[in-house]
Structures are given as structure tokens and as C-alpha cells.
Amino acid sequence: MEKKRRTAHIVSHSHWDREWYLPLESLRFRLVTLMDELEDLFEKDAGFQYFHMDGQMIMLEDYLAVRPEKREKVVELVKAGKLRIGPWYMLQDAFLTSGEANVRNLQYGLQLASHYGEPEKIGYFPDTFGLYGQVPQLMKQAGFETIFFGRGVNPTGFNNQVFDSAFSSRFSELYWQSPDGSRLPAVLFANWYSNGNEIPVDSEAARVFWDKKLADSERFAATEHLLFMNGCDHQPVQTDVAAALETARALYPDIEFVHSNLTDYAEAVRDAASGLELQTVHGELTSQNSDGWSTLANTASSRMYLKQANHRLQWLLTHMAEPLSVLAAERTGAAYPHDYLAYTWKLLMENGIHDSITGCSLDSVHSEMETRFVKVEQAASAIIERAAGKLTERIQPEQDGIPLTVFAASGTSGGSRLVETVIETDHIYFDQMDFREIPDELATRPEQTFRLRHADGEEVPVRVESLGIQFGYDLPDRKFRHSYFARKYRLTFVVENLPQVGYATYYAEPARVAETPDQMEAGAPFTLENEWLRVTVAADGRYTILDKRTGEQVAELGGYEDAGDIGNEYMFKETGDEKRIKTAGLPAEIRFTVKDAVSQSIEIRHRIRVPLSADTASLDEEKRRLVWHPERVSGRSGLLVEQELITTLTLSGGQKVLKVETHLENQAEDHRLRVLFPTGGPTDAHSADSVFEIVRRPNQPSDSWQNPSSDQRMQNFVHCGQVAVIAEGLPEYEVARDGSVIELTLFRAVSEIGDWGDFPAPEAQTKRALTFTYYVMLADAPPVEAAQQILAPVYLMQHRRPKIALELPGRLERADWATSGSLVFSSLKKNQQNETVVRFYQPTDETAMIEFAAPHAKSTILEREKGERNTAFTIRPFEIVTFIKEQNDGNSY
């Protein structure tokens, strides 16, 4: 057969890390220069046809913030097909952003791109630090036909060998298949996304360049179409690329050199690869078949405070702000805040970029991120407060006392939560009395305690703490701020049987006579107990959990281990001396802090002496010489510093999980702190939740793995043996290779970025106050429902706004669906057409069912198309499924 003529596709681009080893504004300055040069190049050089905008729309937003007058020019270039934009809003980290965050990223990216022209409909993941297994399903639902990615699969060379691995490929062209069976063509940047960078115009230099580049590309190419990415990180556009291609054409007349784009290249490859037997890779891609030293997995534990904030705010948006806004729109006619939610999501997504949320940038980058997180919380809280206020002003009180409504949207039935809220009584407004006299007047009124009741009159145990007399104010819709003083009280109680999506109202009835609190036990044995669990704390602070219903128990849970870390923000590397400090066997100070009808808490204090840092002289020399982290051997310092670890165990009524909080003021450098959980016995594999899936992972890494550590990433939980750990924004864990222990990383402290240069990052040492919250339970299966119930936020609001229409009941269940199987609720929101959207995913290999009270139409993650319309649907194994309730269905809830 005659060999087909080769085609070299040169794609001009710049991989734009918005902030990284330079801060945002320094890189924005370079971006503006790049865009100005592009405009000039498109006008003056007919051979320069296309420029790929790195798959992310935030580049255009950043440019137009400085050059707003260039918007029409950008539109012109996009519509002409020259400027290739979209589909993402930004290039996220896949494992450290939630499933819904990934969906919003695509939705808002495509929506923004539509204002300029047609986006490129390709799944673009050039530098994502590993990829979740549901990528092909999500991209297929979005209507994309090809995926481009740079990490996770090992290219293994052109030597006709037999491939048994699911995570290696002979060719850069391959197929990638999700657990549900969705399969798409994919292209691996086997020679990286800079393999066509800085092409020489000079003939002699060009021959040297192309001889190597062509050979490198052909080594992995399955077809005659070869891809060369002309650019790199923050790379200025090569202004003479057209001339360079003319030189190449003269040197290699048997090769067609074209200035191309990824869409055209993908179409050419699909046609040429028809009939070829390409490798299919399955599920998540995390470089499982590599040596384990460059997976970048430990970005999951760099600057852990960023992960905690991101996790909390993702849950706040998807499980409170959006569903509560839907509820307010349906029940009160309040406008759904599309624009403000988009603003809030996009602000959060600025922190989800792969060099940002990973914590692998300069200190100044991450300082700005903390400010963004604060702003996101302010915006989300404003949305929630408005929606809750619209609802509470219409709720008909059903008991005497102060109405207190608890809003929830975990999407799961039942469960219990220990909650705290602050209520106010005895308001005296400034227009009622001289404000200087109000505190004295309130001081004459006796403090109160409260009884708390369900709407049905049943009393609920409550803990009441007086917070004294404090200033406050109302913000009326049509008037100026209305100031007052009032007495404030903190109420702590357990809410049970919360609606899947909705609210329940409680009533706090003032009582003048303080009740005598339960007496706490003064000393050992230190045991927490409810109807489900008995938790016994040993002298060294480790604890045993007994499931009272089954008789199963696991002992020696919760010990700490501190190890040296001479790696960087990307990867952990233990110090050469392997000196570890453990709390197991060390005496701890233990005391009860709370023990009443509401909950029980035990505080455990460890004082351990850990090395102050690494051996700084040795490590500084290794960093100065740019010694690669696997080859570093520095030990830990002989100087010691005391670290106090304060652990609080809390068990409340109805809870099947033990809540644990660890607090410390980190005083040491160059180290990693983990908490250890024996699993009850050896196992071969474990489970953890990822983006729209639960992944079964082997405990033993592949034969090619050389890294002593085999750290993994999770969204919310890990389960192994008899034990499950659910964590609030602690995404890194490791399971011992025999499956006997889960090791949850609390934080790492390092001193540098670590990317082919000496980039100091002293604040990555995380010398600050740190608090970590996680939950431990005995479980024989992944704790999907428990994680939803625990992590989904609740919001409590005291009724104080003027009542305008008492038409809503004290309890409301919005969820109008019934499910069978393991279906997981993911979101309830409105799409851009103002239709109500609900999304689920099926995490197992079994078929599930869902039945709605009113007809819904099946859709995709883009929430535009509408398929079959019905009240009952069958959900395939591992399927991500979206339903739309059309506006003309009316309010049937």
C-alpha cells in the first residue's frame, strides 16, 4: 500500500496559567501585549490563520478588562474563525473541583463564548493534574467529539508491543471510555503541548528542529496527521510562524505543513483513523503506570486551607444557594438570581484554576485567592439570606414561641444534624428610646432560657448560651437601616428527619426559670455513647468505635503521625532520615467539654516535640542546585519545637458518625501531619468518591511505581474495610498497601513551588492556626448517603421580617421524586430559560429508577436539549442524568 503523504498541523497557542510563578496582574500585562500582537498579526500576515485561546474564556475577560474598546474586534476575529475560543470558563483542576463546579465551568464558558461567536467544541485538558473517569461522558453530553489532554496516560512507544494496561497507549491517538460506556476519540499530548514551540526560520536550524520534532511525533502517531503545538506557558505569539512554515515546506516537500487549529486536526485524524484498532483507556487517568514521582498528586495537600474554603463554598452554592433560590422562586414568586449566581460561581472558579486551587503558586497568588473566597462567601450568603427571608415571611406559625426555620437540601431523606444558631429577643430600636439608654434598660430584664419544640409540639433537647446584649440592625426593603439593641442567645440542638430539599420549623419558647444542666463526668472512663455508637478513648488519645447494632468495632483510631517533607508544592518527598513522630503510646490530656441531652464532646490534648524544620543547610543547597525531589536526601533538624494538637470528639443523638476536629497552631516547617485509621483488617482495594463517580482503587500500585508513597485524591470520603472517613475539604489520603490503615493528610508544610527553578514560597509552610473537620464511621459500603447528609449545609433563620402572606406550612418537602437504587442527588437549580433543573448520578453498576410527581424532560449537562418527557425514568449504571421541569407544567409541588 502506498504510504500517504504526511500532514504537519501547526497550532499556534499560549497555555495561559492565569497566575502561577508570577501574580495575576503581571501576567495580565503580558496577556494584553499578546492580544495586541495577535490583532496586528492577523491583519498583516495572510499566512497566520488561527490562534487557540487555550480553551478558556477567562483570558478574554482579563484582556477586555483592560481593552474594553477591543470587544468588537474580538467578535470579528472569532466569527471569522481566526481566534479559537472556549469551551471552558477556565482550565480547572479536575480532582479538587466538584462535579457541579466542572459542569458550571463548561456551562458558563459556553454561554460567554456565544457572545463572541462559535466556540471550539473539544474537551481541552492540556495540563490538568490527572483526570476523573467521567470526562468522556460529560464531553459526550456536551456534544463534543474529541478530547485533548496532557497527563494521566503513559505513551509507550512505537514498537508493536502488546498492550495489557488500561492506562498506557501505543499512540497519541486513542479512545477514552467512561464507566457508563461513553467513549470518545482522544489525543494525548505525548510530546507535550509545546512540541512545536519556537520554529526556526533559518534553513539550517529548521532542519535540525524538524528532523527531531517529526521523529518524536511520528513515534506516537497512528495516522499521517502530526500535531505540533506552537506555544508554551505564557508564550508570546510567534510572529514569524508563517515564514517558518515556508522554510519547512521547502526543506520537506513530501510533507504538507499547514497552519491549523485543533478542530480541523481532530476531524482529519478521525477520518484517517477510521478502521484502525486504537487503544482504549478506561476511567480515571492519574499516571497509574508511571514511576509515581511526577503525578502531582500532592497538590491536594499544599496549602490545605484553600481546599477547605473551596469545598465549603462549592457545597454552599450547590446545596443551599441554588436550591433555596428555586424554592423561593416557586413558592413566593421571587426572581431567581441568575446573574448574581453566575457572578458568584465565576468568582469561585477563578480560584479553581489548576495552578491556583492546587496551591502550587507564589504566596501573593494564594493571598489573593483567600480574598476571593471571602467575597464568594459574602455573595453566596446574600443569596441565601434573601431566599430564606422571602420564604420565612410567608410561613404560618403553628406553635407559640419564636419560629426558627431550618433549610436543608442534601437530597437525602432522614439523618440528623447537630446545629447552632443565634436568636435575638427583647429588641429595642433606636427610634423607641435614646440608644445610649437601651443597654441599661435591657440589663434590667432577666436573662431567659428556652424550650424548643417541633411543629407537632414534641420537645427537642436544646443547649442555651447567653451572648449578652448586642447591637443589631434590620435592612428594610424600602427604608434606611433600622438599628437596635437586643439580647442574643446561642441555641444548639439536633435536627432530625430533615426534608431532602425544603425546610422544617422549630419554636423556641422563652422560659424564665433556668433549668439545671446535666452534670458532666469528671474523669475516666472517657466514653461517648448514643443509640448507635459507643466511642471509648484510650490514655494515648486513640479511640475505639463500637457499632451497638452489629457488635462490630475498630480500635486504635485517630493516632497522629508527623513526617519530614523536603518536597515541594507539587509532590511529597520524605526526609532521608525517615524520622517520624507518632502520638500512639504517648499520654494525652483528656477531658469532657460537653455532656448533656444534646451532645457529648471529649477534648484530647497531645503535646509532641517535632523537628523545627528540615536540615536547612542541606535542603537549601539541594534547592539551590535544583535537585529533583525524588533525589533529595536531606534529613530533619535536630532542633525541636512543641506542637499542641487539640482533638475534639463529638457525638450527638441520632448520629451514626463520630465528628472529629483537630486544631493546632503550626510552629514547624518542612513536614506533613496525618491522622491514621486502622480499617479492621487487610484488603486488596478501597473506594473513594470522585467527580460523579465512586472509584474502586487497588491498594497496591503498579509494578512500574517507584515512589514509596501512593497518595490518592477524593472529593468527600474514602472507605476501606470496616471504616469510612468523610472529610470537609481534606482531599488527600493514602491507604496502606495491605489495606490495613487509611492515612488522612491534614496538611503539608513546604518552602517552594518546585517547578524547574528556584521559586520560594515561604507561606506554603502554613504557619498559622489550622482547624480540620472530619467524620469517622463504621461502614460496609461507601458512605454516599451519610456524606450527603453530613456535608450539605443547613441554614437557620429566625422569623422577624413582617409577614406579608401566611400561606406556607411550617414544614415543606420540595423534592417531588422517589428513587430506587443508589442514585445520588447532585443539584437543583434553574437553567438560562428559567426552567427548573435537577441532576443525579448513579455511582454503581446497577440500574436505578426515578419517578417524579410531575412530567420532566430528560436533558444533558448543558441543560438545553430536551429528550423524552415522562414521570418515570430508568437510569443506566454510572449514568449522569439531568431532568428539566418545564415552566408550563406550573407549580405542582
Side-chain angles (χ1 to χ4, degrees):
M1 178 181 291
E2 182 181 354
K3 187 175 182 181
K4 295 181 181 179
R5 187 184 185 197
R6 293 170 295 172
T7 301
H9 295 256
I10 289 79
V11 176
S12 292
H13 78 111
S14 186
H15 176 55
W16 206 261
D17 299 303
R18 189 174 189 247
E19 49 190 12
W20 180 27
Y21 61 85
L22 288 173
L24 169 61
E25 296 308 328
S26 297
L27 290 172
R28 192 201 303 262
F29 189 88
R30 294 175 62 87
L31 175 63
V32 171
T33 302
L34 167 69
M35 296 298 294
D36 289 346
E37 287 183 343
L38 273 175
E39 179 185 348
D40 186 64
L41 193 57
F42 279 128
E43 289 181 356
K44 295 180 179 179
D45 191 340
F48 189 87
Q49 294 291 313
Y50 311 103
F51 190 83
H52 177 64
M53 292 290 289
D54 202 32
Q56 53 178 332
M57 293 304 302
I58 200 169
M59 287 177 70
L60 282 183
E61 284 195 332
D62 286 346
Y63 171 62
L64 294 174
V66 178
R67 295 261 200 268
E69 73 281 2
K70 295 292 186 179
R71 188 182 188 283
E72 291 307 314
K73 185 61 180 180
V74 169
V75 170
E76 176 188 323
L77 292 172
V78 172
K79 289 187 174 179
K82 295 181 176 296
L83 210 57
R84 316 295 292 195
I85 64 169
W88 300 105
Y89 179 68
M90 53 81 188
L91 293 181
Q92 77 279 27
D93 182 86
F95 284 103
L96 301 179
T97 51
S98 69
E100 289 298 328
N102 276 264
V103 169
R104 299 306 186 283
N105 188 10
L106 193 57
Q107 289 175 341
Y108 288 126
L110 291 171
Q111 178 186 339
L112 183 59
S114 69
H115 297 160
Y116 297 91
E118 187 70 19
E120 287 214 283
K121 295 180 178 178
I122 57 173
Y124 193 64
F125 303 85
D127 195 20
T128 314
F129 301 169
L131 289 157
Y132 50 85
Q134 292 284 31
V135 166
Q137 183 179 177
L138 289 173
M139 298 301 97
K140 198 165 187 176
Q141 287 199 25
F144 299 171
E145 296 182 349
T146 309
I147 301 168
F148 289 82
F149 67 103
R151 297 183 187 271
V153 167
N154 294 359
T156 50
F158 191 85
N159 56 7
N160 296 316
Q161 66 203 73
V162 176
F163 290 86
D164 298 321
S165 170
F167 309 109
S168 299
S169 176
R170 171 181 172 183
F171 299 118
S172 55
E173 305 91 336
L174 52 114
Y175 288 101
W176 185 6
Q177 184 169 311
S178 284
D180 75 311
S182 297
R183 191 175 82 146
L184 282 179
V187 177
L188 168 69
F189 292 126
N191 295 296
W192 208 225
Y193 54 72
S194 58
N195 70 321
N197 194 27
E198 299 177 0
I199 304 171
V201 176
D202 174 76
S203 293
E204 185 175 342
R207 185 174 292 281
V208 173
F209 177 91
W210 282 115
D211 281 351
K212 174 173 173 40
K213 296 296 183 178
L214 288 167
D216 287 346
S217 184
E218 287 181 327
R219 181 184 175 205
F220 299 113
T223 77
E224 66 275 17
H225 292 276
L226 311 178
L227 177 62
F228 298 95
M229 299 295 287
N230 176 232
C232 195
D233 300 352
H234 314 113
Q235 182 81 8
V237 59
Q238 182 173 346
T239 57
D240 59 359
V241 69
L245 295 187
E246 286 298 327
T247 299
R249 291 178 186 117
L251 291 171
Y252 304 88
D254 60 329
I255 300 175
E256 182 181 6
F257 288 86
V258 295
H259 198 234
S260 188
N261 60 75
L262 291 179
T263 296
D264 288 353
Y265 165 77
E267 290 177 356
V269 166
R270 279 199 302 272
D271 291 341
S274 178
L276 294 180
E277 293 186 9
L278 299 178
Q279 181 86 2
T280 297
V281 297
H282 298 265
E284 65 177 9
L285 306 179
T286 58
S287 299
Q288 296 99 317
N289 274 25
S290 70
D291 63 8
W293 279 116
S294 298
T295 64
L296 313 188
N298 298 115
T299 53
S301 53
S302 292
R303 305 179 190 256
M304 194 68 88
Y305 55 91
L306 301 175
K307 282 70 169 176
Q308 292 174 288
N310 187 62
H311 184 272
R312 182 180 72 254
L313 293 169
Q314 287 176 154
W315 278 90
L316 194 65
L317 284 170
T318 56
H319 285 75
M320 189 53 61
E322 288 179 333
L324 200 55
S325 294
V326 169
L327 198 58
E330 291 175 343
R331 292 294 177 168
T332 75
Y336 187 82
H338 288 284
D339 293 340
Y340 208 72
L341 277 166
Y343 165 79
T344 307
W345 267 113
K346 288 164 68 177
L347 189 60
L348 180 59
M349 284 190 281
E350 290 186 49
N351 282 355
I353 296 172
H354 61 284
D355 286 311
S356 300
I357 190 57
T358 47
C360 58
S361 298
L362 291 178
D363 292 342
S364 58
V365 167
H366 299 303
S367 295
E368 187 168 358
M369 285 179 65
E370 290 192 83
T371 301
R372 286 190 205 120
F373 279 133
V374 171
K375 294 173 69 175
V376 171
E377 186 148 22
Q378 292 169 349
S381 298
I383 293 168
I384 293 166
E385 184 177 356
R386 172 186 176 273
K390 292 290 185 183
L391 289 161
T392 57
E393 69 186 10
R394 294 174 182 259
I395 294 174
Q396 172 69 58
E398 298 167 337
Q399 295 282 329
D400 293 333
I402 301 169
L404 181 64
T405 296
V406 183
F407 297 92
S410 71
T412 62
S413 300
S416 66
R417 292 286 294 275
L418 181 67
V419 298
E420 284 187 357
T421 190
V422 173
I423 65 170
E424 300 175 343
T425 67
D426 301 308
H427 301 80
I428 300 179
Y429 287 87
F430 286 13
D431 58 6
Q432 295 175 306
M433 182 182 295
D434 187 321
F435 71 89
R436 291 166 293 190
E437 299 175 4
I438 297 175
D440 292 337
E441 169 60 26
L442 287 174
T444 67
R445 304 181 184 184
E447 289 189 342
Q448 300 171 331
T449 189
F450 296 88
R451 294 185 176 89
L452 195 67
R453 300 183 186 277
H454 285 298
D456 61 9
E458 181 182 353
E459 189 163 348
V460 178
V462 60
R463 184 183 309 132
V464 181
E465 177 187 358
S466 173
L467 301 179
I469 298 164
Q470 297 185 27
F471 169 79
Y473 59 88
D474 297 328
L475 287 177
D477 290 341
R478 296 289 182 269
K479 295 181 179 179
F480 184 64
R481 182 180 66 237
H482 200 189
S483 301
Y484 60 82
F485 281 102
R487 283 196 176 276
K488 294 191 177 185
Y489 301 87
R490 178 179 290 113
L491 273 56
T492 305
F493 59 101
V494 175
V495 294
E496 296 187 282
N497 194 30
L498 283 170
Q500 295 182 67
V501 178
Y503 62 78
T505 303
Y506 291 75
Y507 299 88
E509 182 181 350
R512 293 295 180 183
V513 180
E515 299 174 358
T516 303
D518 295 342
Q519 297 296 314
M520 285 195 302
E521 296 180 19
F526 293 102
T527 301
L528 308 175
E529 188 166 2
N530 65 8
E531 63 270 40
W532 296 100
L533 303 177
R534 180 181 299 125
V535 180
T536 306
V537 183
D540 66 357
R542 290 183 293 175
Y543 41 90
T544 298
I545 298 180
L546 167 70
D547 186 321
K548 295 168 65 174
R549 304 296 174 100
T550 67
E552 293 183 350
Q553 71 175 23
V554 177
E556 299 183 341
L557 298 160
Y560 295 99
E561 179 185 83
D562 187 276
D565 188 349
I566 51 174
N568 51 52
E569 291 182 324
Y570 291 100
M571 291 296 291
F572 168 77
K573 172 62 168 69
E574 187 167 6
T575 47
D577 55 16
E578 298 184 354
K579 183 187 298 182
R580 300 186 181 188
I581 291 87
K582 298 185 178 184
T583 60
L586 299 178
E589 297 177 15
I590 308 171
R591 69 185 183 100
F592 283 100
T593 55
V594 173
K595 191 165 189 181
D596 59 20
V598 177
S599 66
Q600 310 157 50
S601 293
I602 289 175
E603 180 186 270
I604 304 163
R605 288 179 180 257
H606 291 96
R607 292 181 175 86
I608 59 174
R609 294 180 64 78
V610 302
L612 180 65
S613 64
D615 180 341
T616 54
S618 174
L619 180 57
D620 285 350
E621 177 62 13
E622 288 180 322
K623 288 190 293 185
R624 187 187 67 80
R625 294 174 46 237
L626 305 184
V627 174
W628 193 36
H629 60 274
E631 299 168 1
R632 293 180 178 180
V633 296
S634 295
R636 304 187 78 173
S637 170
L639 300 175
L640 301 180
V641 62
E642 184 174 272
Q643 292 272 57
E644 184 178 48
L645 305 177
I646 303 173
T647 308
T648 303
L649 310 180
T650 299
L651 188 64
S652 58
Q655 288 280 340
K656 299 180 184 179
V657 299
L658 176 68
K659 180 180 180 181
V660 187
E661 287 185 327
T662 300
H663 178 78
L664 72 151
E665 296 268 355
N666 181 39
Q667 305 293 326
E669 298 181 350
D670 309 317
H671 69 127
R672 178 187 68 185
L673 182 65
R674 284 183 158 180
V675 58
L676 312 181
F677 304 96
T679 63
T683 63
D684 294 328
H686 66 276
S687 298
D689 67 328
S690 185
V691 173
F692 293 122
E693 64 177 329
I694 297 173
V695 185
R696 184 80 170 163
R697 293 169 176 155
N699 299 333
Q700 184 70 36
S702 69
D703 292 341
S704 62
W705 199 269
Q706 298 177 21
N707 190 342
S709 297
S710 53
D711 303 314
Q712 305 279 0
R713 286 161 288 189
M714 65 178 178
Q715 288 278 313
N716 305 298
F717 66 78
V718 56
H719 171 258
C720 186
Q722 295 175 264
V723 174
V725 180
I726 302 167
E728 294 185 4
L730 304 175
E732 183 183 288
Y733 72 91
E734 185 174 11
V735 171
R737 298 186 182 187
D738 64 357
S740 60
V741 181
I742 297 171
E743 303 173 3
L744 179 69
T745 304
L746 297 185
F747 73 99
R748 289 195 306 127
V750 294
S751 60
E752 63 172 346
I753 294 178
D755 182 78
W756 301 111
D758 186 6
F759 297 102
E763 290 179 16
Q765 296 285 11
T766 322
K767 297 177 78 170
R768 55 167 68 191
L770 301 168
T771 299
F772 308 102
T773 303
Y774 46 98
Y775 305 81
V776 189
M777 65 183 298
L778 304 188
D780 57 7
V784 182
E785 186 172 276
Q788 294 278 111
Q789 292 172 348
I790 290 167
L791 298 176
V794 296
Y795 182 76
L796 292 83
M797 176 170 276
Q798 177 182 349
H799 295 212
R800 288 194 51 241
R801 294 182 61 166
K803 306 298 180 183
I804 62 172
L806 301 180
E807 57 193 26
L808 297 180
R811 179 183 174 88
L812 179 67
E813 172 62 88
R814 161 59 178 78
D816 73 328
W817 58 78
T819 64
S820 63
S822 306
L823 209 57
V824 180
F825 169 77
S826 186
S827 68
L828 174 67
K829 60 188 287 288
K830 284 187 177 287
N831 63 13
Q832 288 302 308
Q833 291 71 45
N834 215 40
E835 300 163 321
T836 301
V837 174
V838 61
R839 188 162 24 255
F840 302 85
Y841 68 95
Q842 170 64 351
T844 73
D845 60 0
E846 298 176 349
T847 297
M849 298 290 296
I850 187 167
E851 186 169 357
F852 292 97
H856 282 62
K858 195 171 182 180
S859 186
T860 70
I861 60 164
L862 297 186
E863 302 163 8
R864 298 171 182 170
E865 303 84 0
K866 296 174 188 174
E868 62 174 304
R869 191 171 182 273
N870 212 325
T871 56
F873 298 86
T874 300
I875 315 301
R876 294 182 291 105
F878 306 111
E879 184 180 7
I880 304 162
V881 62
T882 304
F883 299 102
I884 296 176
K885 182 179 184 294
E886 297 167 275
Q887 288 175 290
N888 58 14
D889 283 330
N891 184 0
S892 61
Y893 297 101

